[in-house]
């Protein structure tokens, strides 16, 4: 039975710089990169290519020696121009200079009716589409040897300036359906497709067969798949669920129908510092400079791969993260402000303390910069984290348990149910400016590797 | 402000690592971050933008909420002085004189509390190499508001130092303390120097003037307490007839609510405390749950006492508990301290309710001291973690029950 869940807790960050729903004709990106650091939990990466090699889209370029069935492949065809390493030879980027026309590795189409689950998993893992499947708990690339109790797909994104999947997936209806058919074979339980209950369900999702359609209503983080799992079928110790982003479902579907790994996707190029925020069609791992340079209002900006809550700061010539469907450009905030802690301000705030007036104009689109707005302190304010976390979880206690390395407490307070993005709002609203998401990952790693 | 910023930038290297005054870095930092919000930016991963609030803004909001109490306290101190020494009886007559007397008494208290506490903060910050805790902005204002205007300044200084060191710094500073710092200061004074903070003689400043005939100086609480002991007239009657020399309605319900009565500087006026509560709740800084349940607890317990009334004090109408003594001030400003209060949302209801109930129990049944809010808050500070423990445990149990294994 499909469910309708209404969430009250949370907070929508209304930012300026929404992408217009049209595809912009920016110059296409020349270089693309796979960043092994995007794959959380990738333990022992091994590069399968050398600088100078030529690859096709779908050619294996990387494996994790700890889980070597899963192949990470090149998003585009071209030449490997650099394998960039950092301190202690940590693998940072594998850069590919793209051909002008992309050629694909061709493999067989999947005949779902005749393939058994094991063979299907093996084909998916070897194809390059597998890293789209994320395992909960821990938020890592799923292990092909596991069978999840259910699979969750969130078909809407409530993050600031997030792309509209109904738009980015236009024309991919048959791939989406095929992708969901594949997912249905992977789990013994249900495949949940969760849509925004506040709007009419886009036909692209309402037409999908073989899934349980659930509606979620409410402010961010209602679109987070972690919150949805919590309300539909929470994860307890020892249980495994998988999650896939709709773009990933379409990619899996295309592989099933046509036998090719196609990393093309439509991303949103957003943010207050862009003269022309728009959608653009490119490939996973694209160098963002062609969308950003020449499209800037001002010079001193921060380019973020992903959204402002969970994204990652990248250089102007940086690359789109593997799991990101948007880039955001905001002003850099490295300035001093005279009496900035006392001056009345219409800057966006969840709080209403002295002089914070943003609540007076709830519809206003805000320009936020990257200033930290204060220094780190001990936890003082209480009850705020709870009011932006629509789950039966006590975030402060959970975070304190992580700080104290208390494993039992972490388990009992729900570390299995969350990943960074689920508490990202807590990091935003925190008066004491704690690195909440970093703490969450630390806690997950403590539990995962112990 | 560029010139100030330039000055800061010029001095900064002196205090940074390797500089001559490296040891005083955190003292410098306190001044710098007070004048200028720092230029820190968010990290590479995680939230790239932050809410406009910081701890300084939150703390200053609490200070602002206390301003009505402070201003009223200053005026009332002068008002009580003139009333007791035969001055004009009208509330707004001799406005200037009253304000001056009040300022002369209260301002030094505020300055001494801020200076003594600030010094301790700075010393700890320098020695322990941590930033100065903004929590002191609030404590420094709370302490002068909960003592009688006649408290010797050296006692205020001593109490402040004691409270900041013992109640806060030994636990690691703001955010780590178990007890409410200002209440600890008051408790210190009460136990160390009872003569200057209890009894009938300390609440009204007389100076070198003689009090008018029939002046007693008692607070409403002790009048009601005595009515309970004597048993000759009801508590409400005793209040009405008390100190008729100072005006027949000194302890009328309206007067008690408005706060034109003897008492600690900032806590006489329920109205001002409620204005503070409105500011705190409106700005989302304090928990409305604690405030509402605190008042509710006092009313409920007052009502229960009425049911078993064996003396006149127990028969006091429950609403009088709201307006007498420091209950309103304590519930609004002390109980809501987010660090020492219960930290779970369910816990806050229980915590506030128990503070209100305990206050009334202590008031009515304790023969030694007629005020209960101080002990109630401190007592519940100690029990807050226990309340939270059970609330958190309930959450864990819910999570476990869901598991099918």
């Amino acid at each position: 039975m499909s469910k309708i869940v209404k969430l009250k807790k949370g907070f929508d960050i209304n930012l300026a710089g929404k992408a217009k729903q049209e595809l912009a004709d920016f110059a296409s990106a020349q270089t693309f990169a796979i960043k092994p650091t995007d794959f959380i939990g990738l333990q022992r990466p091994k590069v399968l290519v050398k600088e100078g090699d030529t690859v096709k889209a779908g050619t294996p370029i990387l494996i994790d020696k700890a889980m070597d069935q899963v192949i990470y492949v090149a998003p585009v065809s071209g030449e490997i121009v650099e394998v960039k390493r950092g301190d202690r030879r940590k693998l940072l980027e594998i850069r590919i200079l793209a051909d002008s026309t992309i050629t694909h590795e061709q493999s067989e189409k999947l005949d779902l009716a005749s393939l058994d689950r094991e063979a299907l998993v093996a084909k998916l893992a070897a194809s390059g589409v597998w890293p789209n499947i994320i395992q909960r708990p821990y938020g890592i690339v799923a292990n092909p040897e596991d069978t999840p109790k259910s699979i969750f797909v969130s078909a809407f994104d409530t993050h600031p300036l997030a792309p509209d999947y109904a738009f980015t997936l236009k024309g991919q209806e048959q791939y989406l359906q095929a992708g969901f058919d594949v997912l249905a074979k992977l789990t013994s339980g249900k495949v949940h497709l969760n849509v925004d209950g506040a709007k009419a369900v886009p036909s692209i999702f309402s037409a999908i067969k073989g899934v349980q359609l659930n509606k979620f209503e409410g402010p961010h983080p209602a679109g987070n798949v972690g919150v949805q799992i919590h309300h539909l079928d929470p994860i307890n110790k020892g249980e495994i669920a998988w999650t896939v982003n709709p773009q990933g479902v379409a990619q899996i579907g295309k592989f099933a129908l046509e036998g090719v790994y196609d990393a093309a996707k439509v991303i949103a190029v957003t943010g207050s510092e862009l003269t022309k925020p728009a959608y653009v069609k490119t490939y996973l791992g694209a160098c963002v400079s062609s969308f950003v340079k020449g499209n800037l209002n001002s010079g001193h900006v921060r380019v973020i791969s992903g959204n402002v809550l969970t994204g990652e700061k990248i250089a102007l010539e940086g690359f789109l993260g593997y799991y990101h469907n948007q880039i955001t450009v905001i002003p850099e905030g490295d300035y001093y402000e005279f009496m900035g802690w006392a001056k009345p301000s219409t800057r966006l705030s969840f709080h209403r303390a002295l002089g914070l007036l943003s609540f007076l104009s709830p519809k206003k689109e805000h320009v936020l910069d990257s200033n930290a707005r204060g220094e780190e302190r001990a936890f003082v304010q209480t009850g705020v984290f709870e009011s932006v976390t629509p789950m039966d979880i006590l975030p402060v206690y959970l975070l304190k348990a992580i700080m104290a390395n208390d494993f039992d407490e972490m388990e009992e307070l729900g570390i299995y149910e969350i990943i960074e993005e689920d508490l990202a709002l807590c990091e935003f609203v925190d008066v004491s400016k704690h690195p909440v998401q970093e703490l969450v990952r630390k806690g997950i790693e403590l539990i995962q590797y112990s | 402000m560029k010139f100030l910023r330039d000055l800061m930038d010029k001095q900064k290297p002196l205090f940074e690592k390797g500089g001559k005054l490296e040891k005083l870095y955190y003292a410098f930092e306190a001044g710098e971050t007070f004048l200028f919000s720092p230029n820190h930016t968010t990290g590479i991963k995680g939230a790239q933008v932050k809410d406009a609030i910081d701890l300084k803004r939150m703390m200053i909001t609490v200070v602002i909420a206390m301003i009505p109490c402070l201003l009223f306290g200053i005026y009332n101190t002068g008002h009580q002085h003139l009333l007791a020494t035969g001055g004009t009886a009208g509330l707004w007559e001799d406005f200037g004189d009253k304000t001056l007397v009040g300022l002369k008494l209260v301002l030094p208290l505020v300055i001494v509390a801020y200076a003594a506490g600030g010094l301790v903060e700075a010393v700890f910050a320098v020695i322990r190499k941590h930033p100065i805790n903004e929590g002191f902005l609030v404590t420094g204002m709370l302490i002068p508001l909960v003592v009688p205007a006649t408290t010797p300044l050296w006692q205020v200084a001593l109490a402040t130092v004691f409270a900041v060191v013992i109640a806060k710094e030994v636990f690691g500073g703001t955010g780590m303390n178990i007890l409410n710092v200002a209440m600890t200061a008051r408790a210190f004074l009460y136990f160390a120097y009872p003569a200057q903070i209890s009894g009938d003689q300390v609440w009204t400043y007389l100076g070198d003037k003689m009090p008018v005939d029939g002046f007693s100086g008692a607070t409403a609480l002790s009048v009601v307490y005595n009515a309970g002991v004597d048993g000759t007239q009801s508590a409400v009657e005793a209040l009405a007839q008390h100190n008729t020399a100072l005006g027949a309605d000194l302890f009328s319900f309206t007067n008690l609510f408005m706060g034109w009565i003897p008492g600690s500087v900032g806590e006489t006026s329920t109205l001002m405390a409620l204005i503070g509560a409105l500011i705190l709740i409106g700005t989302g800084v304090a928990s409305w749950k604690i405030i509402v349940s605190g008042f509710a607890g006092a009313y409920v317990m007052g009502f229960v006492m009425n049911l078993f009334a064996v003396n006149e004090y127990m028969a006091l109408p429950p609403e009088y508990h709201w307006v007498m003594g420091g209950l309103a001030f304590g519930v609004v400003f002390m109980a809501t301290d987010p660090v020492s209060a219960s930290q779970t949302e369910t816990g806050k209801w229980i915590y506030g309710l128990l503070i209100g109930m305990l206050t009334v129990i202590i008031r009515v049944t304790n023969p030694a001291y007629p005020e209960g809010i101080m002990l109630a808050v401190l007592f519940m500070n100690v029990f807050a973690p226990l309340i939270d423990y059970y609330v958190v445990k309930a959450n864990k149990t819910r999570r476990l029950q869901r598991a099918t294994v």
Side-chain angles (χ1 to χ4, degrees), chain A residues 126-165:
Chain A
S127 69
V129 298
W130 189 268
N132 284 303
I133 304 174
I134 298 293
Q135 175 205 311
R136 293 292 189 108
Y138 310 143
I140 53 177
V141 173
N143 187 338
E145 284 163 20
D146 294 329
T147 306
K149 65 170 183 172
S150 37
I151 295 178
F152 296 85
V153 177
S154 172
F156 68 113
D157 192 338
T158 46
H159 282 106
L161 303 176
D164 178 359
Y165 292 137

Side-chain angles (χ1 to χ4, degrees), chain A residues 42-317:
Chain A
L42 183 75
Q43 295 173 38
R44 287 181 287 151
K46 185 181 179 200
V47 188
L48 304 173
V49 289
K50 300 186 301 293
E51 285 172 16
D53 285 359
T54 53
V55 290
K56 286 184 183 174
T59 307
I61 57 170
L62 180 76
I63 55 160
D64 178 4
K65 281 190 271 184
M67 196 162 73
D68 58 4
Q69 315 94 304
V70 179
I71 312 287
Y72 300 82
V73 301
V76 292
S77 61
E79 183 192 349
I80 307 283
V81 282
E82 191 182 0
V83 177
K84 193 176 168 194
R85 289 176 185 274
D87 291 345
R88 297 165 72 195
R89 291 186 51 73
K90 183 179 178 180
L91 192 57
L92 296 179
E93 279 167 10
I94 302 164
R95 288 189 192 176
I96 303 167
L97 181 62
D99 295 336
S100 50
T101 22
I102 305 297
T103 51
H104 296 267
E105 298 274 3
Q106 182 70 45
S107 52
E108 293 165 37
K109 296 172 190 173
L110 299 182
D111 181 10
L112 284 182
S114 65
L115 278 173
D116 63 356
R117 183 179 184 276
E118 209 174 321
L120 175 65
V121 167
K123 284 196 183 261
L124 290 176
S127 69
V129 298
W130 189 268
N132 284 303
I133 304 174
I134 298 293
Q135 175 205 311
R136 293 292 189 108
Y138 310 143
I140 53 177
V141 173
N143 187 338
E145 284 163 20
D146 294 329
T147 306
K149 65 170 183 172
S150 37
I151 295 178
F152 296 85
V153 177
S154 172
F156 68 113
D157 192 338
T158 46
H159 282 106
L161 303 176
D164 178 359
Y165 292 137
F167 178 76
T168 62
L169 290 169
K170 210 182 267 175
Q172 310 233 23
E173 287 81 357
Q174 80 274 31
Y175 301 135
L176 264 181
Q177 182 61 57
F180 279 106
D181 293 342
V182 172
L183 292 182
K185 282 205 88 172
L186 296 180
T187 172
S188 49
K190 286 178 189 158
V191 177
H192 295 270
L193 174 62
N194 306 322
V195 295
D196 189 349
K199 296 179 192 155
V201 184
S203 59
I204 187 169
F205 295 117
S206 59
I208 302 288
K209 293 183 194 74
V211 294
Q212 176 171 315
L213 196 77
N214 307 296
K215 292 181 179 178
F216 281 81
E217 244 176 73
H220 182 69
N224 277 12
V225 68
V227 173
Q228 297 165 358
I229 297 174
H230 179 88
H231 289 278
L232 295 172
D233 187 8
I235 298 166
N236 304 297
K237 189 179 182 181
E239 293 177 342
I240 285 175
W242 286 353
T243 72
V244 192
N245 183 281
Q247 303 255 27
V249 179
Q251 201 185 70
I252 293 171
K254 188 157 193 188
F255 175 74
L257 288 184
E258 298 178 0
V260 291
Y261 172 83
D262 185 0
K265 62 171 157 184
V266 175
I267 64 162
V269 181
T270 60
S272 59
E273 296 315 284
L274 295 177
T275 45
K276 188 177 155 195
Y279 285 87
V280 62
K281 188 169 186 189
T282 183
Y283 294 87
L284 181 161
C287 176
V288 300
S289 70
S290 52
F291 319 132
V292 176
K293 271 187 187 166
N295 190 9
L296 289 176
N297 285 328
S298 60
H300 199 46
V301 295
R302 173 176 290 212
V303 183
I304 300 158
S305 171
N307 60 66
V308 291
L309 280 179
T310 63
E312 183 178 348
K313 174 186 173 183
I314 56 172
L316 206 54
E317 278 86 23

Side-chain angles (χ1 to χ4, degrees), chain B residues 168-210:
Chain B
K168 189 165 82 174
E169 290 300 341
V170 294
F171 291 103
T174 301
M176 318 279 193
N177 50 312
I178 293 170
L179 297 177
N180 185 307
V181 186
M183 272 301 176
T184 309
R186 195 179 197 280
F188 172 82
L189 285 178
Y190 175 66
F191 288 110
Y193 305 103
Q196 280 81 27
I197 202 170
S198 57
D200 289 350
Q201 305 309 318
V202 302
W203 308 105
T204 310
Y205 171 70
L206 295 173
D208 48 9
K209 294 190 180 156
M210 290 300 288

Side-chain angles (χ1 to χ4, degrees), chain A residues 302 308 313 337 339-341 343 349-350 354 370 372 375 377 382 392-393 409 417 427 433 437, chain B residues 29 33-35 37 40 42 44 47-48 51 53 57 61 134 345 348 388 395-396 398-399 402:
Chain A
R302 173 176 290 212
V308 291
K313 174 186 173 183
E337 189 184 4
M339 297 297 267
W341 59 279
K343 259 205 256 182
S349 176
F350 177 72
L354 175 75
S370 66
E375 305 135 285
R377 292 289 187 267
T382 62
D392 186 19
I393 277 181
E409 209 45 27
E417 297 195 46
E427 184 165 288
K433 313 289 173 189
Q437 298 186 67
Chain B
E29 194 228 19
T33 54
F34 181 85
L35 282 174
S37 290
H40 302 170
T42 49
I44 289 176
Q48 304 285 315
D51 194 299
I53 200 170
R57 195 182 279 270
T61 307
E134 287 88 0
E345 295 306 292
K348 282 172 184 166
D388 286 338
N395 178 282
K396 291 177 187 169
R398 269 199 302 280
R399 185 160 286 107
R402 209 177 60 187

Side-chain angles (χ1 to χ4, degrees), chain B residues 77-145:
Chain B
T77 302
H79 176 66
Q80 294 301 325
H81 169 71
L82 257 67
L83 213 54
T85 55
T88 44
L91 282 185
W92 303 107
E93 287 170 40
D94 291 327
F95 182 87
D97 282 357
K98 290 175 183 173
T99 312
L100 267 183
V101 172
L103 278 175
K104 202 178 82 185
L105 284 166
V106 177
L107 266 195
L109 291 178
V110 176
I111 294 168
V112 166
Y114 268 118
L119 195 71
V120 179
E121 278 291 343
V123 168
F124 268 86
V126 166
I127 296 175
R128 299 234 306 256
K129 298 194 171 50
H130 69 55
I132 288 185
N133 292 311
E134 287 88 0
F136 189 70
L137 286 174
V138 173
T139 318
M141 182 63 97
L142 275 174
I143 291 174
L145 291 185

Side-chain angles (χ1 to χ4, degrees), chain A residues 14 30 148 379:
Chain A
N14 192 8
Q30 301 285 307
F379 282 117

